[in-house]
Amino acid sequence: MTTETTEHLQPAGEHTARMWEQTADIRARIEQLPFLTQLADGTLDPEKFAYYIGQDTHYLDDYQRAMLLIAARAPIAEEMRFWAKSAVGAIAEEKEMHKALSTDRTLQQFDLTNVQKALPTFAYGSYLVASAATDPYPVAATSVLPCYWIFADAGRRLAAAAVVKESGADHPYATWAHAYGDEGFQSITGQAIAIVERALTDATAAERDDAMEAFRRATRLEELFWEAPMGGEDIRRVV
């Protein structure tokens, strides 16, 4: 098993450093969300996790669409290949993990096949697709970065907190926690950060400002997405 640490993935330059700093308040709240803290210590209600997995399946469909749109607009082949590979490969791996989780003893009591998309999921996915389709490339690429970076940051901390045996048998959410703490996902996230840094270096001042706002908006949507499983019917309401 890969050894994880709680060290943050570092910014790739001044622009990504600025957006990381400017979302410190949201990220501090995310670290304290009951969904994540209970997920880390293994006490999370299985129904809450099942709800999250169902919503994440919907979200991944939108995220994949967004990355394919960004790939088509990438200015250089290297970046086009990164976004396309992430859309096809990384998302496919995550969906396979969802499939495996659906047969896990913790979740098999829940039907994850007909989950309706809730409002926070709709808002987040729709925003990313819209940004990918209509915003300048530096802004669009920045809008999808929080899903990499915030997930990788949370995953690294979760994996460190989830003290498990090699089999993970003594922690109900070990598979999920370690998937996001894995060095492979951390490496992909580092590449995404570097691509966004390069895009913002070449961007106009107005595009950089819009990108900073996009990063903060998407980070806030990440927070809402992780709040939803612990909420009542109001926040879980379907579209």
Coordinates of all heavy atoms in Angstrom, one line a residue, residues 81-162:
R81 N -4.1 16.2 -24.9 CA -4.0 14.8 -24.5 C -4.3 14.6 -23.0 O -4.9 13.6 -22.6 CB -2.6 14.2 -24.8 CG -2.5 14.0 -26.3 CD -1.2 13.1 -26.6 NE 0.0 13.9 -26.2 CZ 0.7 14.6 -27.1 NH1 0.3 14.8 -28.3 NH2 1.8 15.3 -26.7
F82 N -3.8 15.5 -22.2 CA -4.1 15.4 -20.7 C -5.5 15.4 -20.4 O -6.0 14.6 -19.7 CB -3.3 16.5 -20.0 CG -3.7 16.5 -18.5 CD1 -3.0 15.7 -17.6 CD2 -4.7 17.3 -18.0 CE1 -3.3 15.7 -16.3 CE2 -5.0 17.3 -16.6 CZ -4.3 16.5 -15.8
W83 N -6.3 16.4 -20.9 CA -7.7 16.6 -20.6 C -8.5 15.4 -21.2 O -9.4 14.9 -20.5 CB -8.2 17.9 -21.1 CG -7.6 19.1 -20.5 CD1 -6.9 20.1 -21.2 CD2 -7.6 19.5 -19.2 NE1 -6.5 21.1 -20.3 CE2 -6.9 20.7 -19.1 CE3 -8.1 18.9 -18.0 CZ2 -6.7 21.4 -17.9 CZ3 -7.9 19.6 -16.8 CH2 -7.2 20.8 -16.7
A84 N -8.1 15.0 -22.4 CA -8.9 13.9 -23.0 C -8.6 12.6 -22.3 O -9.5 11.8 -22.0 CB -8.5 13.7 -24.5
K85 N -7.3 12.3 -21.9 CA -7.0 11.1 -21.1 C -7.7 11.1 -19.8 O -8.2 10.1 -19.3 CB -5.5 11.0 -21.0 CG -5.0 9.7 -20.3 CD -3.5 9.7 -20.2 CE -3.1 8.4 -19.5 NZ -1.6 8.3 -19.4
S86 N -7.7 12.3 -19.1 CA -8.4 12.4 -17.8 C -9.9 12.1 -18.0 O -10.5 11.4 -17.2 CB -8.2 13.8 -17.2 OG -6.9 14.0 -16.9
A87 N -10.5 12.6 -19.1 CA -11.9 12.4 -19.3 C -12.2 10.9 -19.5 O -13.2 10.4 -19.0 CB -12.4 13.2 -20.5
V88 N -11.4 10.3 -20.3 CA -11.7 8.9 -20.7 C -11.1 7.9 -19.6 O -11.8 7.0 -19.1 CB -11.1 8.5 -22.0 CG1 -11.3 7.1 -22.4 CG2 -11.7 9.4 -23.1
G89 N -9.9 8.1 -19.2 CA -9.2 7.1 -18.4 C -9.5 7.3 -16.9 O -10.0 6.4 -16.2
A90 N -9.3 8.5 -16.4 CA -9.5 8.7 -14.9 C -10.9 8.6 -14.5 O -11.2 8.0 -13.5 CB -8.9 10.1 -14.5
I91 N -11.8 9.1 -15.3 CA -13.2 9.0 -15.0 C -13.7 7.5 -15.1 O -14.5 7.1 -14.2 CB -14.1 9.9 -15.9 CG1 -13.7 11.4 -15.7 CG2 -15.6 9.7 -15.6 CD1 -13.9 11.9 -14.4
A92 N -13.2 6.8 -16.1 CA -13.6 5.4 -16.2 C -13.1 4.6 -14.9 O -13.9 3.8 -14.4 CB -13.0 4.8 -17.4
E93 N -11.9 4.9 -14.5 CA -11.4 4.2 -13.3 C -12.3 4.6 -12.0 O -12.6 3.7 -11.2 CB -10.0 4.7 -13.0 CG -9.0 4.1 -14.0 CD -7.6 4.6 -13.7 OE1 -7.3 5.2 -12.7 OE2 -6.7 4.3 -14.6
E94 N -12.7 5.8 -11.9 CA -13.5 6.2 -10.8 C -14.9 5.5 -10.9 O -15.4 5.1 -9.8 CB -13.7 7.7 -10.8 CG -14.3 8.2 -9.5 CD -14.0 9.7 -9.2 OE1 -13.3 10.3 -10.0 OE2 -14.5 10.2 -8.2
K95 N -15.4 5.4 -12.1 CA -16.7 4.8 -12.2 C -16.6 3.3 -11.9 O -17.5 2.7 -11.3 CB -17.3 5.0 -13.6 CG -17.8 6.4 -13.9 CD -18.4 6.6 -15.2 CE -19.0 8.0 -15.4 NZ -19.7 8.2 -16.7
E96 N -15.5 2.7 -12.2 CA -15.3 1.3 -11.9 C -15.2 1.1 -10.3 O -15.7 0.2 -9.8 CB -14.0 0.8 -12.5 CG -14.1 0.4 -14.0 CD -15.2 -0.7 -14.1 OE1 -15.1 -1.8 -13.5 OE2 -16.1 -0.5 -15.0
M97 N -14.6 2.1 -9.7 CA -14.5 2.1 -8.2 C -15.9 2.2 -7.7 O -16.3 1.5 -6.7 CB -13.6 3.2 -7.7 CG -13.5 3.2 -6.2 SD -12.4 4.5 -5.5 CE -13.4 6.0 -5.9
H98 N -16.8 3.1 -8.2 CA -18.2 3.2 -7.8 C -18.9 1.8 -7.9 O -19.6 1.4 -7.1 CB -18.9 4.2 -8.6 CG -18.6 5.6 -8.2 ND1 -19.3 6.7 -8.7 CD2 -17.6 6.1 -7.4 CE1 -18.8 7.8 -8.1 NE2 -17.8 7.5 -7.4
K99 N -18.6 1.2 -9.1 CA -19.3 -0.1 -9.3 C -18.8 -1.1 -8.2 O -19.6 -1.9 -7.7 CB -18.9 -0.6 -10.7 CG -19.6 -1.9 -11.1 CD -19.2 -2.3 -12.5 CE -19.9 -3.6 -12.9 NZ -19.5 -4.0 -14.3
A100 N -17.5 -1.1 -7.9 CA -17.0 -2.0 -6.9 C -17.6 -1.7 -5.5 O -18.0 -2.6 -4.8 CB -15.5 -2.0 -6.8
L101 N -17.7 -0.4 -5.2 CA -18.3 0.0 -4.0 C -19.8 -0.4 -3.8 O -20.2 -0.7 -2.7 CB -18.2 1.5 -3.8 CG -16.8 2.1 -3.5 CD1 -16.8 3.6 -3.6 CD2 -16.4 1.6 -2.1
S102 N -20.5 -0.4 -4.9 CA -21.9 -0.8 -4.9 C -22.1 -2.2 -4.4 O -23.2 -2.5 -4.0 CB -22.6 -0.6 -6.3 OG -22.1 -1.5 -7.2
T103 N -21.1 -3.1 -4.5 CA -21.3 -4.5 -4.1 C -20.6 -4.7 -2.7 O -20.5 -5.8 -2.2 CB -20.7 -5.4 -5.1 OG1 -19.3 -5.1 -5.3 CG2 -21.4 -5.3 -6.4
D104 N -20.0 -3.6 -2.2 CA -19.3 -3.7 -0.9 C -20.4 -3.9 0.2 O -21.5 -3.5 0.1 CB -18.6 -2.3 -0.6 CG -17.9 -2.4 0.7 OD1 -16.7 -2.8 0.7 OD2 -18.5 -2.0 1.7
R105 N -20.0 -4.6 1.2 CA -20.9 -5.0 2.3 C -21.6 -3.8 3.0 O -22.7 -3.8 3.5 CB -20.2 -5.9 3.3 CG -19.1 -5.2 4.0 CD -18.3 -6.2 5.0 NE -17.1 -5.6 5.5 CZ -17.1 -4.8 6.5 NH1 -18.2 -4.4 7.1 NH2 -15.9 -4.3 7.0
T106 N -20.8 -2.7 2.9 CA -21.4 -1.5 3.6 C -22.5 -0.8 2.8 O -23.4 -0.3 3.3 CB -20.2 -0.4 3.8 OG1 -19.2 -1.0 4.5 CG2 -20.7 0.8 4.5
L107 N -22.4 -1.0 1.4 CA -23.4 -0.3 0.6 C -24.4 -1.1 -0.2 O -25.3 -0.6 -0.8 CB -22.6 0.6 -0.5 CG -21.7 1.6 0.1 CD1 -20.9 2.3 -1.1 CD2 -22.4 2.7 0.9
Q108 N -24.2 -2.4 -0.1 CA -25.0 -3.3 -1.0 C -26.5 -3.3 -0.6 O -27.3 -3.7 -1.3 CB -24.5 -4.7 -1.0 CG -24.4 -5.4 0.4 CD -23.7 -6.7 0.3 OE1 -23.7 -7.5 1.3 NE2 -23.1 -7.1 -0.8
Q109 N -26.8 -2.8 0.6 CA -28.2 -2.7 1.0 C -28.9 -1.5 0.4 O -30.1 -1.4 0.5 CB -28.2 -2.5 2.6 CG -27.5 -1.2 3.0 CD -27.5 -1.1 4.5 OE1 -28.5 -1.1 5.2 NE2 -26.3 -1.0 5.1
F110 N -28.2 -0.6 -0.3 CA -28.8 0.5 -1.0 C -28.9 0.3 -2.5 O -27.9 -0.2 -3.1 CB -28.0 1.8 -0.6 CG -27.9 2.0 0.8 CD1 -26.7 1.7 1.5 CD2 -28.9 2.5 1.6 CE1 -26.6 1.9 2.8 CE2 -28.8 2.8 2.9 CZ -27.6 2.5 3.6
D111 N -29.9 0.8 -3.1 CA -30.1 0.8 -4.6 C -29.4 2.0 -5.1 O -29.9 3.1 -5.0 CB -31.5 0.7 -5.0 CG -31.7 0.7 -6.5 OD1 -30.7 0.5 -7.2 OD2 -32.9 0.8 -6.9
L112 N -28.3 1.9 -5.8 CA -27.6 3.0 -6.4 C -27.8 3.2 -7.9 O -27.1 4.0 -8.5 CB -26.1 2.9 -6.1 CG -25.6 2.8 -4.7 CD1 -24.1 2.6 -4.6 CD2 -26.1 4.0 -3.9
T113 N -28.8 2.4 -8.4 CA -29.0 2.4 -9.9 C -30.0 3.5 -10.4 O -29.9 3.8 -11.5 CB -29.5 1.0 -10.3 OG1 -30.7 0.7 -9.7 CG2 -28.4 0.0 -10.0
N114 N -30.8 4.0 -9.5 CA -31.8 4.9 -9.9 C -31.9 6.2 -9.1 O -32.9 6.7 -8.7 CB -33.2 4.3 -9.9 CG -33.3 3.1 -10.9 OD1 -33.2 3.4 -12.1 ND2 -33.6 1.9 -10.4
V115 N -30.7 6.7 -8.7 CA -30.6 7.9 -7.9 C -30.8 9.1 -8.7 O -30.3 9.3 -9.8 CB -29.2 7.9 -7.3 CG1 -29.0 9.2 -6.4 CG2 -28.9 6.7 -6.4
Q116 N -31.7 10.0 -8.3 CA -32.0 11.2 -9.0 C -31.0 12.3 -8.6 O -30.5 12.4 -7.5 CB -33.4 11.7 -8.6 CG -34.5 10.8 -9.1 CD -35.9 11.4 -8.7 OE1 -36.2 11.5 -7.5 NE2 -36.6 11.8 -9.7
K117 N -30.7 13.1 -9.6 CA -29.7 14.2 -9.4 C -30.2 15.3 -8.6 O -31.3 15.8 -8.9 CB -29.2 14.7 -10.8 CG -28.1 15.8 -10.7 CD -27.9 16.4 -12.0 CE -27.2 15.5 -13.0 NZ -26.7 16.3 -14.2
A118 N -29.6 15.6 -7.5 CA -30.0 16.6 -6.6 C -29.5 18.0 -7.0 O -28.6 18.1 -7.8 CB -29.6 16.3 -5.1
L119 N -30.1 19.0 -6.4 CA -29.8 20.4 -6.8 C -28.3 20.8 -6.7 O -27.7 21.3 -7.6 CB -30.6 21.4 -6.0 CG -30.6 22.8 -6.4 CD1 -31.0 23.0 -7.9 CD2 -31.5 23.7 -5.6
P120 N -27.6 20.5 -5.6 CA -26.1 20.8 -5.6 C -25.3 20.1 -6.7 O -24.4 20.7 -7.2 CB -25.7 20.3 -4.2 CG -26.9 20.3 -3.4 CD -28.0 19.9 -4.3
T121 N -25.7 18.9 -7.0 CA -25.0 18.2 -8.1 C -25.3 18.8 -9.4 O -24.4 19.0 -10.2 CB -25.5 16.7 -8.1 OG1 -25.4 16.1 -6.8 CG2 -24.7 15.9 -9.1
F122 N -26.6 19.2 -9.6 CA -26.9 19.8 -10.9 C -26.2 21.2 -11.0 O -25.7 21.5 -12.1 CB -28.4 20.1 -10.9 CG -28.9 20.8 -12.1 CD1 -29.2 20.1 -13.3 CD2 -29.2 22.1 -12.1 CE1 -29.6 20.7 -14.4 CE2 -29.6 22.8 -13.2 CZ -29.8 22.1 -14.4
A123 N -26.1 21.9 -9.9 CA -25.5 23.2 -10.0 C -24.0 23.1 -10.3 O -23.5 23.9 -11.2 CB -25.7 24.0 -8.7
Y124 N -23.3 22.2 -9.7 CA -21.9 22.1 -9.9 C -21.6 21.6 -11.3 O -20.8 22.1 -12.0 CB -21.4 21.1 -8.8 CG -19.9 21.1 -8.7 CD1 -19.0 22.0 -9.3 CD2 -19.2 20.1 -7.8 CE1 -17.6 22.0 -9.1 CE2 -17.9 20.1 -7.7 CZ -17.1 21.1 -8.3 OH -15.7 21.0 -8.2
G125 N -22.3 20.5 -11.7 CA -22.0 19.9 -13.0 C -22.4 20.9 -14.1 O -21.6 21.0 -15.1
S126 N -23.5 21.6 -14.0 CA -23.9 22.5 -15.0 C -22.9 23.7 -15.1 O -22.6 24.2 -16.3 CB -25.3 23.0 -14.7 OG -26.3 22.0 -14.7
Y127 N -22.4 24.1 -14.0 CA -21.5 25.3 -14.1 C -20.2 24.9 -14.8 O -19.7 25.6 -15.6 CB -21.1 25.7 -12.6 CG -19.9 26.6 -12.6 CD1 -20.0 27.9 -13.2 CD2 -18.7 26.2 -12.1 CE1 -18.9 28.7 -13.2 CE2 -17.6 27.1 -12.1 CZ -17.7 28.3 -12.7 OH -16.6 29.1 -12.7
L128 N -19.7 23.7 -14.5 CA -18.5 23.2 -15.2 C -18.6 23.1 -16.7 O -17.8 23.5 -17.5 CB -17.9 21.9 -14.5 CG -17.5 22.0 -13.1 CD1 -17.0 20.7 -12.6 CD2 -16.5 23.1 -12.9
V129 N -19.7 22.5 -17.1 CA -20.0 22.3 -18.5 C -20.1 23.6 -19.2 O -19.6 23.8 -20.3 CB -21.2 21.4 -18.7 CG1 -21.6 21.4 -20.2 CG2 -21.0 20.0 -18.2
A130 N -20.9 24.5 -18.6 CA -21.1 25.9 -19.2 C -19.7 26.6 -19.3 O -19.5 27.2 -20.3 CB -22.0 26.7 -18.3
S131 N -18.9 26.5 -18.3 CA -17.6 27.2 -18.3 C -16.7 26.6 -19.4 O -16.1 27.3 -20.2 CB -16.9 27.1 -16.9 OG -15.6 27.7 -17.0
A132 N -16.7 25.3 -19.4 CA -15.9 24.6 -20.4 C -16.3 24.9 -21.9 O -15.5 25.0 -22.8 CB -16.0 23.1 -20.2
A133 N -17.6 25.2 -22.1 CA -18.1 25.4 -23.4 C -18.0 26.9 -23.8 O -17.9 27.2 -25.0 CB -19.6 25.0 -23.5
T134 N -18.0 27.8 -22.9 CA -18.2 29.2 -23.2 C -17.0 30.1 -22.7 O -16.8 31.2 -23.3 CB -19.5 29.8 -22.7 OG1 -19.5 29.7 -21.3 CG2 -20.7 29.0 -23.3
D135 N -16.4 29.8 -21.7 CA -15.3 30.7 -21.1 C -14.0 30.5 -21.9 O -13.8 29.4 -22.5 CB -15.1 30.3 -19.7 CG -16.1 30.9 -18.7 OD1 -16.8 31.9 -19.1 OD2 -16.3 30.3 -17.7
P136 N -13.1 31.5 -21.9 CA -11.8 31.3 -22.5 C -11.1 30.2 -21.9 O -11.3 29.8 -20.7 CB -11.1 32.7 -22.2 CG -12.2 33.6 -22.0 CD -13.3 32.9 -21.3
Y137 N -10.2 29.5 -22.6 CA -9.6 28.3 -22.2 C -8.9 28.4 -20.8 O -9.1 27.6 -19.9 CB -8.5 27.9 -23.2 CG -7.6 26.7 -22.7 CD1 -8.1 25.4 -22.7 CD2 -6.3 26.9 -22.3 CE1 -7.4 24.4 -22.3 CE2 -5.5 25.9 -21.9 CZ -6.1 24.6 -21.9 OH -5.3 23.5 -21.4
P138 N -8.2 29.5 -20.5 CA -7.6 29.6 -19.1 C -8.6 29.6 -18.0 O -8.4 29.0 -16.9 CB -6.8 30.9 -19.2 CG -6.6 31.2 -20.6 CD -7.8 30.7 -21.3
V139 N -9.8 30.2 -18.2 CA -10.8 30.2 -17.2 C -11.5 28.8 -17.1 O -11.7 28.3 -16.0 CB -11.9 31.3 -17.6 CG1 -13.0 31.3 -16.5 CG2 -11.2 32.7 -17.7
A140 N -11.8 28.2 -18.3 CA -12.4 26.9 -18.3 C -11.5 25.9 -17.6 O -12.0 25.1 -16.8 CB -12.7 26.5 -19.7
A141 N -10.2 25.9 -17.9 CA -9.3 24.9 -17.3 C -9.3 25.1 -15.8 O -9.2 24.2 -15.0 CB -7.9 25.0 -17.9
T142 N -9.3 26.4 -15.4 CA -9.3 26.7 -13.9 C -10.5 26.2 -13.2 O -10.5 25.8 -12.1 CB -9.1 28.2 -13.7 OG1 -7.9 28.6 -14.3 CG2 -9.1 28.6 -12.3
S143 N -11.7 26.3 -13.9 CA -12.9 25.9 -13.3 C -13.0 24.5 -12.9 O -13.6 24.1 -11.9 CB -14.1 26.3 -14.2 OG -14.2 25.3 -15.3
V144 N -12.3 23.6 -13.6 CA -12.3 22.2 -13.3 C -11.2 21.8 -12.3 O -11.2 20.7 -11.8 CB -12.2 21.3 -14.5 CG1 -13.4 21.5 -15.4 CG2 -10.9 21.4 -15.3
L145 N -10.3 22.7 -12.0 CA -9.1 22.4 -11.2 C -9.5 22.0 -9.7 O -8.9 21.1 -9.1 CB -8.1 23.5 -11.2 CG -6.8 23.3 -10.4 CD1 -6.1 22.0 -10.9 CD2 -5.9 24.5 -10.5
P146 N -10.5 22.7 -9.1 CA -10.8 22.4 -7.7 C -11.2 20.9 -7.5 O -10.9 20.3 -6.5 CB -11.9 23.3 -7.4 CG -11.7 24.5 -8.2 CD -11.2 24.0 -9.5
C147 N -11.8 20.3 -8.5 CA -12.2 18.9 -8.4 C -11.0 18.1 -8.3 O -11.0 17.1 -7.5 CB -13.1 18.5 -9.6 SG -13.7 16.8 -9.4
Y148 N -9.9 18.4 -9.0 CA -8.7 17.7 -8.8 C -8.0 18.0 -7.5 O -7.7 17.2 -6.6 CB -7.7 18.1 -9.9 CG -7.9 17.5 -11.3 CD1 -8.5 18.2 -12.3 CD2 -7.4 16.2 -11.6 CE1 -8.7 17.6 -13.5 CE2 -7.5 15.7 -12.8 CZ -8.2 16.4 -13.8 OH -8.3 15.8 -15.1
W149 N -7.8 19.3 -7.3 CA -6.9 19.8 -6.2 C -7.6 19.6 -4.8 O -7.0 19.1 -3.9 CB -6.6 21.2 -6.4 CG -5.3 21.7 -5.8 CD1 -4.5 21.0 -4.9 CD2 -4.6 22.9 -6.0 NE1 -3.4 21.8 -4.5 CE2 -3.5 23.0 -5.2 CE3 -4.9 24.0 -6.8 CZ2 -2.6 24.0 -5.2 CZ3 -4.0 25.1 -6.8 CH2 -2.9 25.1 -6.0
I150 N -8.9 20.0 -4.7 CA -9.6 19.8 -3.4 C -9.8 18.3 -3.1 O -9.6 17.9 -1.9 CB -10.9 20.6 -3.4 CG1 -10.7 22.1 -3.8 CG2 -11.6 20.5 -2.0 CD1 -9.8 22.8 -2.9
F151 N -10.1 17.6 -4.1 CA -10.3 16.1 -3.9 C -8.9 15.5 -3.4 O -8.9 14.7 -2.5 CB -10.8 15.4 -5.1 CG -12.2 15.1 -5.1 CD1 -13.2 15.9 -5.6 CD2 -12.6 13.9 -4.6 CE1 -14.5 15.6 -5.6 CE2 -14.0 13.5 -4.5 CZ -14.9 14.4 -5.0
A152 N -7.8 15.9 -4.1 CA -6.5 15.3 -3.8 C -6.1 15.7 -2.4 O -5.5 14.9 -1.7 CB -5.5 15.8 -4.8
D153 N -6.4 16.9 -2.0 CA -6.0 17.4 -0.7 C -6.8 16.7 0.4 O -6.2 16.2 1.4 CB -6.3 18.9 -0.6 CG -5.8 19.5 0.7 OD1 -4.6 19.4 1.0 OD2 -6.6 20.2 1.3
A154 N -8.1 16.6 0.1 CA -8.9 15.9 1.1 C -8.6 14.4 1.2 O -8.5 13.8 2.2 CB -10.4 16.0 0.8
G155 N -8.3 13.8 0.0 CA -8.0 12.4 -0.1 C -6.7 12.1 0.6 O -6.6 11.0 1.3
R156 N -5.7 12.9 0.5 CA -4.5 12.7 1.2 C -4.7 12.7 2.7 O -4.1 11.9 3.4 CB -3.5 13.8 0.8 CG -2.0 13.6 1.3 CD -1.2 14.7 0.8 NE -0.9 14.6 -0.7 CZ 0.3 14.2 -1.2 NH1 1.2 13.7 -0.4 NH2 0.4 14.1 -2.5
R157 N -5.5 13.6 3.2 CA -5.7 13.7 4.6 C -6.6 12.5 5.1 O -6.4 11.9 6.2 CB -6.4 15.0 5.0 CG -5.5 16.2 5.0 CD -6.1 17.5 5.4 NE -7.1 18.0 4.4 CZ -8.4 17.9 4.4 NH1 -9.0 17.3 5.4 NH2 -9.1 18.4 3.5
L158 N -7.6 12.1 4.3 CA -8.4 11.0 4.6 C -7.7 9.7 4.7 O -7.8 8.9 5.6 CB -9.6 10.9 3.6 CG -10.7 11.9 3.7 CD1 -11.6 11.8 2.5 CD2 -11.5 11.6 5.0
A159 N -6.8 9.5 3.7 CA -6.0 8.3 3.7 C -5.1 8.2 4.9 O -4.8 7.1 5.4 CB -5.2 8.2 2.4
A160 N -4.5 9.3 5.3 CA -3.7 9.4 6.5 C -4.5 9.1 7.7 O -4.0 8.4 8.7 CB -3.0 10.7 6.6
A161 N -5.7 9.6 7.8 CA -6.5 9.4 9.0 C -7.1 8.0 9.1 O -7.3 7.5 10.2 CB -7.6 10.4 9.0
A162 N -7.4 7.4 7.9 CA -8.0 6.1 7.9 C -6.9 5.0 8.1 O -6.3 4.5 7.2 CB -8.7 5.8 6.6

